[in-house]
Amino acid sequence: MKEAVFTDKAPRPIGPYSQAIKAGEFLFISGQIPVDRDGNPVEGGIKAQTRQVLENIRAILEAAGAGLDNVVKVTVYLKDMNDFGAMNEVYAEYFGSSKPARAAVEVSRLPKDVRIEVEAIARL
C-alpha cells in the first residue's frame, strides 16, 4: 500500500509525480530543486540553492510526521562538481551527526537550469 504525501510548505510538483510517497515504513521524497513553495527559483549560488532544497525536503518530511534524522539515503545531483565543497558545508549544517548514506553525481542539466537537485529516502 502506498500513500502520496503533500504539503503546501514545499513547491508543487512540476510534472506528473508526487512530492513524496509513503510505502510501508519508508518515505520516498522526489527530487527537490531550489524553488520556493510558490515555484520561484532561489537567487544566489550553490549554498543558497542547497539550503532551499533541504528546506523543501524538511517540509515534506514534517508533513509525513518525520524529520531529517529519519533520512537514511540521499542522492545529490550537481550541475558542476566544483560546487561539491560548498554544497557539503550546507548539507552538514542540516544533517549534523545524523549522516545518511549518500551519493553525489554531476549531471549535464537539471530542471529549470538550477545547480542542484536532491532526492531522499526516510524510514518512518
Side-chain angles (χ1 to χ4, degrees):
M1 184 170 193
K2 66 180 186 176
E3 171 189 347
V5 173
F6 176 80
T7 178
D8 62 0
K9 294 180 181 173
R12 291 185 172 282
I14 59 175
Y17 59 91
S18 300
Q19 286 175 331
I21 294 290
K22 190 185 297 187
E25 64 182 33
F26 289 96
L27 182 69
F28 298 87
I29 301 172
S30 293
Q32 296 296 302
I33 60 173
V35 296
D36 65 19
R37 67 185 193 174
D38 296 320
N40 302 312
V42 170
E43 299 295 324
I46 190 64
K47 286 186 175 185
Q49 290 194 13
T50 301
R51 215 168 260 111
Q52 182 64 55
V53 164
L54 295 175
E55 286 298 327
N56 293 344
I57 289 172
R58 183 191 332 243
I60 295 166
L61 285 162
E62 288 174 356
L68 290 169
D69 57 332
N70 293 95
V71 175
V72 295
K73 174 69 169 80
V74 172
T75 304
V76 178
Y77 303 96
L78 293 167
K79 188 172 182 180
D80 184 347
M81 195 54 84
N82 289 319
D83 287 338
F84 182 81
M87 174 279 297
N88 225 23
E89 286 178 34
V90 175
Y91 182 93
E93 292 172 21
Y94 280 80
F95 286 102
S97 63
S98 173
K99 296 176 177 72
R102 186 181 82 182
V105 296
E106 182 178 88
V107 296
S108 63
R109 193 167 181 205
L110 290 165
K112 298 194 176 201
D113 291 318
V114 298
R115 301 193 63 77
I116 185 170
E117 180 173 357
V118 178
E119 64 181 12
I121 300 170
R123 184 169 184 254
L124 305 174

